[in-house]
Amino acid sequence: ADTPADAKKARELGAEGIGLCRTEHMFFEEDRIAAFREMICSDTAEEREAALEKILPYQQGDFEKLYEALEGCPVTIRFLDPPLHEFVPTEEEDIKKLADAQGKSVEQIKAIIASLHEFNPMMGHRGLRLAVTYPEIAKMQTKAVIRAAINVQKAHPDWNVAPEIMIPLSCDAKELKYVKDIVVATADAEIAAAGSDMKYEVGTMIEIPRAALTAGDIAKEAEFFCFGTNDLTQYTLAADRQNPDIGKFCDTHHVAILRLINMIVQNAHKNGTWVGICGELGADLELTEAFLAIGVDELSVTPSAILPIRKKVIETN
């Protein structure tokens, strides 16, 4: 659920929390896309930070409404995931506006846009890699999450607001630690400044087979895992799930994915890391029993799938 309205609907249908809030959906709103485009086209870290400062209050407001809708139930907030080219303007009028705002020529902006083009966006400069290149994005999002959580906790002392921050697309324990250290330093500073004792968790999304194979090491740097089952399936099968012909070749593909998930869960639990499932496989009723048998701790599905999945879980248990 990416919006407070979605979260409220999910709660009404019996959800016990939100396992995936995709923050990039918040960036596309009209009142913040211009500032984010300024950030993308900035020349220095200082310019990027100034642009992100414009977005910070909007992100914080979004998260406050989300926490209010959850009424103290957990929500896992995933940091920015898509490659930056998805945010740049395509219309001449919008390119001209951005050029004027940046004090650049239209040609310069077009050159920046061209440089961001990804031949395969799914395997490009996205997810955690964005935070490695531009740590100021992770800092801004961390401030927004923690400030929002602190404000909502103050307003509702009887709730337990404990942020769950998800870093997407981890491939290696070392790179996860690099970004996690940025998140932790920023979060701890915000909590100390507010005189709060708020607890939070930092986890990651397992979407790459290499991450599955090294889950034991990655678990040492993550309080929780969440499977991006859509991407994990595509990477494992070298196939686009949007391709209607893929079923002809991969009728039994779930077997391979379940083996990977089982491997990850076992390694995660050895290190005290809890595991959630999100994506289309999480809502597949035929797989619910398998996930529970493997030991998955959380199923995150779209609101419309909550009732049938909940019924299946109860029947299985």
Side-chain angles (χ1 to χ4, degrees), residues 51-96:
L52 289 166
E53 277 295 316
K54 298 178 185 178
I55 302 173
L56 176 55
Y58 293 117
Q59 281 259 283
Q60 181 179 333
D62 290 334
F63 296 142
E64 286 183 11
K65 291 172 187 172
L66 196 66
Y67 284 129
E68 289 279 356
L70 266 293
E71 301 176 316
C73 291
V75 53
T76 303
I77 296 174
R78 185 180 74 184
F79 278 7
L80 189 66
D81 190 27
L84 295 181
H85 82 262
E86 291 193 11
F87 300 93
V88 296
T90 55
E91 302 295 328
E92 285 290 330
E93 182 181 348
D94 292 331
I95 293 172
K96 177 71 166 58

Side-chain angles (χ1 to χ4, degrees), residues 227-241:
F227 291 109
T229 51
N230 298 337
D231 281 6
L232 183 61
T233 301
Q234 293 181 92
Y235 284 129
T236 304
L237 302 177
D240 184 348
R241 66 187 173 89

